[in-house]
Amino acid sequence: MSWKLLAHAPRHRVRQALLAHERLEETGDWDSDMVLTGSEVAEDRPDDWQLDAYLPRKPRAADRKLLATLFGADAPRIVAEELPETDWVSETQKSVTPIRAGRFHVHTPDYPVDDTPGIVDFIIPASQAFGTGQHATTAGCLAMLDTMRRRGVRVRDCADIGTGTGLLAFAALALWPRAYATASDIDAVCESVVTENCRLNGVAEGTGRGALAMITAPGTDHPLIHARAPYDLLMANILAGPLMELAGDFAALVAPRGHLLLAGLLTTQEPAVRAAYRIAGFRLAGRLVNSDWSILWLRRRWQPA
């Protein structure tokens, strides 16, 4: 028996609730049985959104309370709905439509490969880890990586901190196929996710050129991350708070004149994030806004100010 809890709210409130959900997942304070999705109610009502929380059991009062906390004060009405028996993972994958970002085409196994010349195709199953390409921050990072390559950026050593599915690391290796690549995530489940996605996309695993080394680590706290520094390119699509906390750590890992790609921050959070990285010795090289999210391409000064 499957159920869902649903709540209707304006788009910005649903997105804030999804961000709050990510924070609770990071701290381990979220019930892993409850899977969230957010979407607009109808194409002609772009500001009216619905937050759905899927459960493998009948919702309890504690489930309603947990969902309500995501909205803070004045939470919307939460409704429970029993669902017909079906394979919800499969159904979710079918609803995740392909995306195009720069030269990249990202889709679940339910959709065909795009073999158009010049297009880089990735298969990323849905409902695994953050970073399927559907979120505006991930798609924005893919587009920015494509821009960086077209503008002549050269990468010999890159790292993806908070990789999720491995997608950004895959994209970097597609653009700079002779680079050393490292991917890390605080969630140990991502190691098996990335390994499977490497298999699906023909990405080699290992520590040599053109291969991906996947590790579990909080932030930059792992010997391999430090041993492979300095990086020509470091990517982090996480959250604004952790990004600001990691500014000094990232500065110590990025080579002088090296590149930093940051995402996971709302446009309203951008000034604070940029200020933290300006102090750490980075300058803005490029900026992209995708919906309410900022994607920042920063470059480290030759000598920090």
Side-chain angles (χ1 to χ4, degrees):
M1 181 183 297
S2 297
W3 288 72
K4 76 172 179 178
L5 295 171
L6 62 95
H8 290 95
R11 179 179 66 172
H12 73 280
R13 293 206 67 197
V14 171
R15 289 184 170 174
Q16 288 171 352
L18 290 170
L19 273 177
H21 164 248
E22 288 179 15
R23 296 188 190 100
L24 289 176
E25 278 196 318
E26 286 184 349
T27 60
D29 295 323
W30 184 258
D31 184 347
S32 60
D33 283 344
M34 195 184 305
V35 178
L36 295 193
T37 64
S39 60
E40 61 185 28
V41 173
E43 289 187 8
D44 60 345
R45 294 157 57 194
D47 196 49
D48 293 336
W49 276 50
Q50 179 172 308
L51 183 68
D52 294 313
Y54 293 91
L55 286 157
R57 51 176 166 74
K58 188 173 182 178
R60 302 184 289 252
D63 299 321
R64 292 174 179 267
K65 183 177 180 180
L66 182 60
L67 190 64
T69 61
L70 299 180
F71 291 95
D74 191 28
R77 187 168 72 98
I78 296 172
V79 178
E81 179 180 315
E82 186 175 358
L83 301 172
E85 289 298 326
T86 188
D87 182 351
W88 286 106
V89 171
S90 177
E91 291 302 312
T92 299
Q93 290 193 353
K94 290 177 183 177
S95 70
V96 178
T97 56
I99 64 123
R100 176 69 61 82
R103 72 187 72 187
F104 299 106
H105 178 255
V106 186
H107 60 98
T108 69
D110 301 279
Y111 290 88
V113 169
D114 186 341
D115 55 6
T116 304
I119 295 300
V120 179
D121 188 278
F122 288 125
I123 302 170
I124 304 292
S127 302
Q128 293 183 323
F130 184 77
T132 62
Q134 296 300 315
H135 196 277
T137 59
T138 310
C141 285
L142 293 173
M144 186 63 86
L145 285 171
D146 187 54
T147 297
M148 292 167 71
R149 181 65 179 84
R150 293 181 189 280
R151 292 187 184 176
V153 170
R154 298 177 64 184
V155 175
R156 293 159 296 185
D157 199 344
C158 65
D160 180 11
I161 307 299
T163 191
T165 61
L167 179 56
L168 296 186
F170 296 172
L173 281 173
L175 296 172
W176 298 281
R178 293 290 296 160
Y180 294 99
T182 307
S184 71
D185 202 283
I186 194 171
D187 189 348
V189 75
C190 293
E191 287 206 34
S192 60
V193 168
V194 171
T195 292
E196 173 62 11
N197 289 341
C198 282
R199 185 190 67 79
L200 288 172
N201 293 282
V203 176
E205 289 189 274
T207 56
R209 289 188 181 275
L212 179 63
M214 175 65 199
I215 56 176
T216 299
T220 62
D221 187 15
H222 194 283
L224 184 65
I225 293 175
H226 291 272
R228 305 189 84 173
Y231 296 97
D232 303 303
L233 170 64
L234 191 148
M235 302 168 282
N237 179 14
I238 44 180
L239 294 169
L243 285 177
M244 289 188 284
E245 292 172 7
L246 288 166
D249 293 340
F250 287 172
L253 294 171
V254 175
R257 298 179 183 169
H259 304 271
L260 186 60
L261 179 59
L262 302 181
L265 57 142
L266 293 163
T267 53
T268 54
Q269 299 167 323
E270 181 182 334
V273 173
R274 285 176 60 177
Y277 281 86
R278 187 164 54 250
I279 293 169
F282 289 89
R283 62 177 177 81
L284 185 68
R287 175 179 179 267
L288 183 154
V289 174
N290 195 0
S291 189
D292 298 324
W293 302 89
S294 294
I295 291 85
L296 303 179
W297 167 15
L298 306 177
R299 194 165 189 190
R300 189 174 170 223
R301 299 187 186 98
W302 178 249
Q303 290 292 340

